[in-house]
Amino acid sequence: MILKFCALRARVASTICLLLLSCAAYAAAGARAQTASALFISDTHFDPFHDPAKVKALAAAPASEWETILASPDSPTQQQDLDALRAVCAERGPYDSYPLLKSALAAIRQRAQGVRFVTVSGDLLAHKFFCRFAQTMPGATPAEYEAFVEKTWQYQVDRLQQTLPHTPIYLALGNNDSNCDDNKLDTGTPFLAAVGGIVGRAAGSAWNAAAAKDFAAYGSYSVTMAAPMQRTRLIVLNDNLLNNSYTHCSGQTDKAPGEQQVQWLQQQLDAARKLHQRVWIMGHIPIGVNPYGTLSKGPTAVCHGRKPDMFLFSDALADTMAENAPEIQLALFAHSHMDELRLLGSGEKTLPVKFVPSISPVNGNHPAFTVGVVDTATATLADYTVYTAPDSLGSEWTKEYTWSTTYGQRGFTPATLRTVIDGFTADRAGATPESKAYMENFTAGALGQLAPFWPAYVCTMTNMHAVDYTACVCGEK
């Protein structure tokens, strides 16, 4: 009897051990399953005018036929015609031509296979798009131009979807993504509704009627991100309406649409809070100081009466984000084309900000895209890797760096950003490996431009107001 009892106890204990081991294995699998990869791209600035002789055929064809036209051999006078077009439209160039787009998509297929979602932070159109169309399609109507813009968007989205099928793509408008001209846009138009249709189809199951309505009104939207993201709201702002250069298509300046965007953002943040959702914010034009416009006047020009150049006409967006920082896990911006970071807010109310480097090499940078690792349970960016190509044709794509290994930090969080930025601040000579890496990565593989301006540039990372930035640069903070 005693032997039978002991045997029974042994079997029960063995069963319990097996159950505990199974639970531990399940928990470990769950911990692994809560991370997912994501692709972050921006500023493709696609150039359908690279061979001007093809533009009439593109304008006459649906977006589904563009690939065949663009892949056909260049016309005999392609370079001559392009040089003439650039001269008339005073373009910088080069943009993202068909060869670069094809190369980038091939690299994405290789490096980002298995990503669970994509973010595109705006500027799918090349600069001076309106001028280029007018020169290659003389006599075309505004409706024909608008259709060409929409097809340029649709073509790029189609190519991304073919590269990463069944993957949600969340798109934002850039300041060049307009049916009239750069930095110009009318709100509440059929154009916004049409582009909203493209954006909605790309977003997939996350899209809803409220998102479609908001996009048609202002070019912004708010959605609950699809699985595997958990209880995460993505708020996509059309903060081009806060751009210092923004006007209506008529050229009339108007700050009301930008101010309404900030009010709309607060409403979306309030709604997310009530639903206990975490938040990601994506826009095109960043908050804070524009380093290029400010530092081109000299690293200490602000100490001698010159005002910092600000990305936006108001601090309201930055202030609203900082006030709601506990709910915001990440903010993604672009526009500078450079690979940058910011820490917004102070004390308990801080949030991490990432500037996504561009596919287009138009600002002297090398083409780049970013593959992130996201903790889907907490909506935090756990890590990311940037891939770059050495030229405007995308001849070869290689890994540039990974956040965790280059900066020795686990997670892209307020705490890790504070550690990294404090190190930059202390290193006024820009001599540490981390500072040198940032200066090199800033232009995504191109020659670093920050060394002469390093202490002043570092001040842009945490000081989003002009007065605070000036105090930082001038030693008053």
Side-chain angles (χ1 to χ4, degrees):
M1 187 68 166
I2 292 173
L3 290 174
K4 289 182 178 179
F5 177 72
C6 291
L8 177 62
R9 287 185 62 185
R11 286 197 298 273
V12 171
S14 177
T15 301
I16 292 173
C17 287
L18 288 172
L19 285 171
L20 290 173
L21 287 171
S22 297
C23 288
Y26 180 81
R32 289 192 297 271
Q34 75 176 2
T35 62
S37 57
L39 172 66
F40 308 139
I41 64 177
S42 80
D43 294 88
T44 57
H45 287 298
F46 183 66
D47 180 13
F49 308 98
H50 185 72
D51 186 351
K54 295 180 180 179
V55 175
K56 289 184 179 179
L58 293 171
S64 59
E65 296 178 10
W66 274 33
E67 177 66 13
T68 301
I69 298 168
L70 291 166
S72 65
D74 286 341
S75 63
T77 58
Q78 180 270 330
Q79 190 60 54
Q80 178 183 342
D81 293 344
L82 180 60
D83 290 343
L85 182 60
R86 285 177 172 170
V88 171
C89 293
E91 302 168 46
R92 298 197 303 270
Y95 294 97
D96 178 356
S97 61
Y98 173 75
L100 176 56
L101 180 64
K102 182 180 178 181
S103 170
L105 291 171
I108 286 169
R109 185 180 293 109
Q110 178 185 8
R111 306 286 187 174
Q113 195 61 244
V115 297
R116 302 301 298 273
F117 63 91
V118 181
T119 65
V120 184
S121 304
D123 268 3
L124 276 68
L125 304 185
H127 298 122
K128 303 294 182 71
F129 205 85
F130 179 78
C131 175
R132 294 146 75 84
F133 183 82
Q135 291 297 316
T136 52
M137 291 289 292
T141 66
E144 289 171 323
Y145 176 66
E146 189 169 302
F148 195 82
V149 168
E150 292 167 12
K151 286 190 284 191
T152 305
W153 260 67
Q154 186 67 68
Y155 169 70
Q156 293 179 77
V157 172
D158 287 348
R159 296 288 282 118
L160 257 178
Q161 289 181 312
Q162 291 161 11
T163 303
L164 300 170
H166 313 299
T167 305
I169 302 171
Y170 303 108
L171 296 118
L173 286 175
N175 60 301
N176 299 124
D177 297 328
S178 167
N179 64 327
C180 49
D181 208 348
D182 297 347
N183 301 309
K184 295 182 177 181
L185 187 70
D186 289 336
T187 55
T189 61
F191 169 73
L192 282 179
V195 174
I198 298 172
V199 173
R201 290 188 293 274
S205 62
W207 198 251
N208 54 45
K213 180 180 178 182
D214 286 337
F215 199 99
Y218 287 101
S220 53
Y221 62 95
S222 174
V223 293
T224 299
M225 298 179 76
M229 296 298 286
Q230 302 174 33
R231 293 192 298 108
T232 304
R233 177 176 296 220
L234 174 64
I235 303 174
V236 180
L237 285 162
N238 183 9
D239 67 341
N240 306 290
L241 302 174
L242 288 152
N243 182 2
N244 280 308
S245 302
Y246 166 72
T247 71
H248 290 287
C249 289
S250 65
Q252 178 187 359
T253 58
D254 187 359
K255 293 186 176 181
E259 293 166 347
Q260 289 161 356
Q261 277 292 279
V262 177
Q263 296 169 7
W264 176 83
L265 170 62
Q266 185 62 66
Q267 294 168 2
Q268 298 304 315
L269 290 166
D270 291 342
R273 187 176 295 109
K274 289 179 181 178
L275 294 173
H276 305 288
Q277 291 178 317
R278 302 172 186 88
V279 172
W280 278 25
I281 290 177
M282 180 167 66
H284 179 67
I285 299 184
I287 52 177
V289 177
N290 179 350
Y292 178 80
T294 301
L295 298 178
S296 61
K297 302 169 186 174
T300 60
V302 295
C303 305
H304 305 285
R306 286 190 175 271
K307 294 182 179 180
D309 183 31
M310 307 299 288
F311 280 116
L312 306 177
F313 68 68
S314 167
D315 295 326
L317 176 57
D319 291 344
T320 299
M321 290 170 61
E323 186 61 30
N324 293 272
E327 283 76 39
I328 304 171
Q329 304 304 306
L330 181 66
L332 295 172
F333 294 102
H335 186 61
S336 75
H337 292 209
M338 304 306 176
D339 186 355
E340 305 186 62
L341 59 83
R342 298 288 187 271
L343 180 63
L344 173 61
S346 60
E348 296 292 322
K349 295 183 176 182
T350 53
L351 65 101
V353 179
K354 186 77 188 73
F355 290 13
V356 180
S358 69
I359 296 288
S360 168
V362 68
N363 278 6
N365 58 294
H366 287 182
F369 62 84
T370 304
V371 178
V373 178
V374 181
D375 186 323
T376 59
T378 62
T380 56
L381 183 59
D383 206 355
Y384 66 84
T385 298
V386 177
Y387 297 92
T388 65
D391 52 46
S392 62
L393 296 177
S395 57
E396 182 183 7
W397 291 81
T398 58
K399 184 178 85 168
E400 183 175 37
Y401 78 99
T402 297
W403 163 258
S404 58
T405 54
T406 297
Y407 298 105
Q409 301 295 324
R410 296 183 62 183
F412 190 78
T413 67
T416 60
L417 277 175
R418 174 55 66 189
T419 298
V420 171
I421 294 173
D422 284 349
F424 292 159
T425 302
D427 179 31
R428 294 187 62 81
T432 67
E434 292 79 11
S435 296
K436 289 180 178 179
Y438 188 95
M439 284 187 267
E440 178 66 15
N441 298 336
F442 171 77
T443 40
L447 181 65
Q449 302 172 351
L450 292 182
F453 309 98
W454 182 240
Y457 175 81
V458 172
C459 286
T460 68
M461 293 181 172
T462 55
N463 297 282
M464 304 299 151
H465 296 79
V467 63
D468 295 330
Y469 171 79
T470 299
C472 177
V473 172
C474 304
E476 301 167 6
K477 182 178 179 181

